[in-house]
Amino acid sequence: MPRFAANLSLLFTECAPLDRFAAARAAGFQGCELLFPYDHAAADLAQAAEAAALPVVLINTPGGNWAGGERGVAAMPGCEARFRDEFDQALEMAGALGAGLLHVLAGLAGGAAARATYVANLRWAAARAAASNPALRLTIEPINGHDMPGYFLQDFAEAQAILAEIAAPNLGLQFDAYHAQRITGDARAAWDDLDMMPLHVQVAGVPGRHEPQSGDIDYPAFFTQLDTGGYAGWVSGEYNPKRGTTEGLGWLREASRG
């Protein structure tokens, strides 16, 4: 079975942020991801992760004014200088936390100019990361337009075309099964249709984005599909618990037994 990580921005919110690492480790997770760790001191986060023996495997680039509707700026023409500043901030945070993956948020944009901006920014970011932190890999993720209207990257074929065009060895695909189900109607078929192995996988139930244990995706079959296909990366629970986090972890115990 895959190695499972917990998204500590969504799970274990019953605990204070720095206490979530130990709670996730006690619950059986082997790693964690953080959406936007920038409101906390990197040293405090790193110390909590180390004390819990729970590595941080992925963070996002800054999302900007999330409450105001921003979703990153990588594909937004005219925001190139801001993107570079925020990417350098993310590079520093990823290095301090020992995160091996950095998800680059595209932002709300569309059209040929946005695509050209996105490609240029990703090309620059891949070179910047390679020079600064050779162990770090960058990801891009298609996100469905129902949950995030106007997000630039909403298609797996387009994501793969962009990755093939840039052809940077430290830049790859992030596959969120929840978004894949909403985008294509069949997350498991979408996985089989990929031309490249993703660097990171996230899971949540459809509909509702709750625990990955019921609904439209057969997760036991999906986890087996990952294994038989040779996927060796992390699988992160990125969902909103229906009730308390620990009460909904039957899916993790079942998968870990498998």
Side-chain angles (χ1 to χ4, degrees):
M1 280 290 110
R3 295 175 298 164
F4 290 101
N7 184 306
L8 297 187
S9 300
L10 300 180
L11 304 186
F12 301 101
T13 57
E14 306 90 345
C15 306
L18 295 180
D19 294 333
R20 295 175 193 174
F21 297 90
R25 183 63 176 173
F29 288 101
Q30 298 172 280
C32 68
E33 63 180 28
L34 303 168
L35 292 179
F36 305 111
Y38 306 100
D39 290 337
H40 298 276
D44 292 341
L45 293 170
Q47 182 178 19
E50 182 179 2
L54 193 80
V56 178
V57 301
L58 177 142
I59 65 171
N60 290 342
T61 54
N65 181 6
W66 199 267
E70 290 188 329
R71 297 295 185 266
V73 298
M76 295 177 62
C79 293
E80 290 84 354
R82 177 181 166 187
F83 171 75
R84 293 188 176 199
D85 288 344
E86 292 182 347
F87 186 80
D88 281 344
Q89 180 187 7
L91 270 183
E92 183 177 356
M93 179 64 76
L97 298 180
L101 296 168
L102 175 59
H103 170 217
V104 181
L105 286 163
L108 308 183
R115 190 186 190 281
T117 300
Y118 190 47
V119 168
N121 278 335
L122 288 173
R123 199 184 302 277
W124 174 87
R128 185 78 160 184
S132 172
N133 185 349
L136 183 68
R137 294 180 295 175
L138 312 181
T139 67
I140 62 173
E141 175 192 7
I143 296 178
N144 81 81
H146 305 283
D147 287 28
M148 199 175 288
Y151 191 73
F152 173 78
L153 192 61
Q154 299 184 24
D155 182 82
F156 284 95
E158 177 66 359
Q160 292 180 102
I162 288 170
L163 291 171
E165 180 178 340
I166 298 171
N170 62 341
L171 177 65
L173 183 67
Q174 184 167 319
F175 184 94
D176 186 312
Y178 170 83
H179 289 304
Q181 185 72 25
R182 296 297 303 269
I183 291 169
T184 71
D186 191 336
R188 293 185 60 209
W191 178 271
D192 283 338
D193 288 342
L194 294 175
D195 296 328
M196 57 184 65
M197 183 65 72
L199 299 181
H200 190 65
V201 170
Q202 294 167 322
V203 294
V206 181
R209 200 167 189 175
H210 298 306
E211 287 79 358
Q213 59 189 15
S214 62
D216 297 344
I217 303 174
D218 182 346
Y219 271 112
F222 179 62
F223 295 148
T224 299
Q225 188 176 359
L226 299 186
D227 280 344
T228 57
Y231 176 71
W234 291 91
V235 174
S236 181
E238 189 191 40
Y239 60 88
N240 300 302
K242 280 188 176 181
R243 290 175 287 276
T245 302
T246 55
E247 292 91 326
L249 291 179
W251 70 271
L252 177 64
R253 292 188 290 270
E254 180 182 346
S256 298
R257 284 196 300 268

